[in-house]
Amino acid sequence: AGAREGLTAGAPTLALLVLATPLRVILDTLGRLPALRPGGCAVLDLGSTKRAVVAAMSALPEQFAVVGGHPMCGKETAGLSAADSTLFRGQTFVLCRVPRPAPPAAAESLALALVSAIGARPLWLDAADHDRPVAALSHLPAGGAAAPLPGAA
């Protein structure tokens, strides 16, 4: 709730809003985003499933340039004490285009720049192509979880 409080019409302009919260909070925030940021912005989510997020992003007004994302790595521990600056290095970072009347080139460029900055490898997938293997892999150990994704190295 604290992060959403900063998403108001009077808040500073955003180059890229990254939604890195539990899926239910991402979906709630996307639903409230037009009221929270009436001028729009570029949005990238980091949710673990993509179909519902991409559908919610598709419903946003055209002033929102949106891309779905899911870094295919993680840790079993959470919090600042578990932070690891190399976590994403060399890992697959799935990006999902969102069907829109005007292609969100700005959001795609920002998402690719972010993926590059953290040392990850981008992999563009359709939301359904992401969700099918991720659902099957969600119970596997982290070491082998990204391997069966289409196009993952």
Side-chain angles (χ1 to χ4, degrees), residues 10-115:
T13 301
L14 299 172
L16 177 64
L17 172 62
V18 178
L19 299 175
T21 61
L23 187 60
R24 70 183 185 289
V25 178
I26 290 172
L27 293 170
D28 176 65
T29 302
L30 288 171
R32 296 167 17 123
L33 208 49
L36 295 169
R37 299 297 298 186
C41 61
V43 180
L44 170 69
D45 88 286
L46 304 183
S48 59
T49 60
K50 300 279 53 99
R51 280 186 275 197
V53 172
V54 165
M57 288 177 156
S58 295
L60 287 170
E62 64 184 49
Q63 65 265 31
F64 291 93
V66 290
V67 176
H70 183 202
M72 300 304 299
C73 59
K75 295 176 75 169
E76 61 281 351
T77 54
L80 287 176
S81 62
D84 179 355
S85 64
T86 64
L87 178 66
F88 300 103
R89 194 168 300 144
Q91 300 299 315
T92 299
F93 195 119
V94 174
L95 296 170
C96 298
R97 289 186 171 97
V98 177
R100 307 284 281 178
E108 290 182 7
S109 294
L110 286 168
L112 286 169
L114 175 66
V115 170

Side-chain angles (χ1 to χ4, degrees), residues 48-49 70 72 75 130-149:
S48 59
T49 60
H70 183 202
M72 300 304 299
K75 295 176 75 169
H130 167 274
D131 286 357
R132 276 189 296 273
V134 169
L137 301 171
S138 63
H139 63 281
L140 293 179
L149 282 172

